[in-house]
Amino acid sequence: MNDQRLSTARELDAADELAGFRDRFHLPKLDDEPVVYLCGNSLGLQPKSTAAYVQQELDDWKRLGVEGHLHAGRPWLPYHENLTRLTGELVGALPVEIV
């Protein structure tokens, strides 16, 4: 990349109002060097908040067992209510066609 293009790219990056979102994700490295991550068949970059969310569910499961369906920090029984519309959009189905 020539110097002018690199300079323009850096200016655009500095002005990007969404640039702060980058800090919310773990960025992979190979041999301790940053890599360009362009994998379209992937979960994407892992959000740094993921471990805390997963640990909370594991803690609720350990503490509550089956009662987590109703009494967990994020009760499990109504999960489908939160996912139905978005899952339908993802797969091209109506909400009544998704459980």
Side-chain angles (χ1 to χ4, degrees), residues 27 61 66:
L27 302 174
W61 182 18
V66 72

Side-chain angles (χ1 to χ4, degrees), residues 6-23:
L6 182 58
S7 176
T8 300
R10 287 185 173 147
E11 287 174 20
L12 290 170
D13 282 348
D16 185 352
E17 62 188 49
L18 300 177
F21 280 89
R22 179 183 178 91
D23 295 333

Side-chain angles (χ1 to χ4, degrees), residues 4-82:
Q4 180 58 40
R5 286 184 180 172
L6 182 58
S7 176
T8 300
R10 287 185 173 147
E11 287 174 20
L12 290 170
D13 282 348
D16 185 352
E17 62 188 49
L18 300 177
F21 280 89
R22 179 183 178 91
D23 295 333
R24 295 182 183 188
F25 296 90
H26 293 288
L27 302 174
K29 293 183 177 185
L30 185 60
D31 297 327
D32 209 33
E33 292 292 323
V35 297
V36 175
Y37 192 80
L38 299 174
C39 183
N41 186 21
S42 161
L43 290 173
L45 296 174
Q46 185 186 94
K48 291 178 179 177
S49 61
T50 297
Y53 283 112
V54 171
Q55 189 60 55
Q56 180 61 55
E57 297 304 318
L58 292 172
D59 290 346
D60 284 347
W61 182 18
K62 177 174 64 177
R63 183 173 53 85
L64 297 167
V66 72
E67 292 300 321
H69 284 285
L70 299 174
H71 302 292
R74 287 179 292 276
W76 310 325
L77 188 64
Y79 258 41
H80 70 284
E81 295 170 5
N82 299 324

Side-chain angles (χ1 to χ4, degrees), residues 73-92:
R74 287 179 292 276
W76 310 325
L77 188 64
Y79 258 41
H80 70 284
E81 295 170 5
N82 299 324
L83 299 173
T84 298
R85 183 184 58 78
L86 294 172
T87 304
E89 289 176 13
L90 182 67
V91 299

